[in-house]
Amino acid sequence: MVCSPLGAVTYLSTVWGGRASDVEMVRASDFISSKFHQPRDQLLADRGFTMVEEFVKQLSPKEVEVSSKKC
């Protein structure tokens, strides 16, 4: 499931059972394709999500520090 900053559900994948990993589900769902995003959209993921090569930008150390202080 994907939500907008205002909390609206914007994407809902099919149900997965068993021991599928988050990475496997994202790759199979086609969510990262351009048909679901506008050119300036920002995609955020939980800490430890390992699909860095699929996304354009990773947070800088300063951005990580600032975002950690807001939590």
Side-chain angles (χ1 to χ4, degrees):
M1 178 173 68
V2 177
C3 296
S4 73
L6 297 176
V9 174
T10 59
Y11 180 84
L12 192 58
S13 69
T14 57
V15 177
W16 284 72
R19 299 178 61 141
S21 70
D22 291 342
V23 171
E24 182 181 356
M25 289 186 283
V26 170
R27 285 188 176 134
S29 72
D30 199 31
F31 171 72
I32 58 176
S33 74
S34 60
K35 69 182 177 182
F36 294 109
H37 308 287
Q38 300 297 316
R40 295 184 57 105
D41 282 355
Q42 294 182 4
L43 304 176
L44 305 175
D46 291 337
R47 206 175 282 184
F49 198 69
T50 60
M51 294 184 67
V52 174
E53 64 277 1
E54 281 87 350
F55 296 95
V56 176
K57 181 182 183 287
Q58 187 174 12
L59 292 177
S60 69
K62 182 65 176 173
E63 290 170 318
V64 169
E65 180 183 334
V66 170
S67 68
S68 296
K69 290 179 181 177
K70 292 182 180 180
C71 294

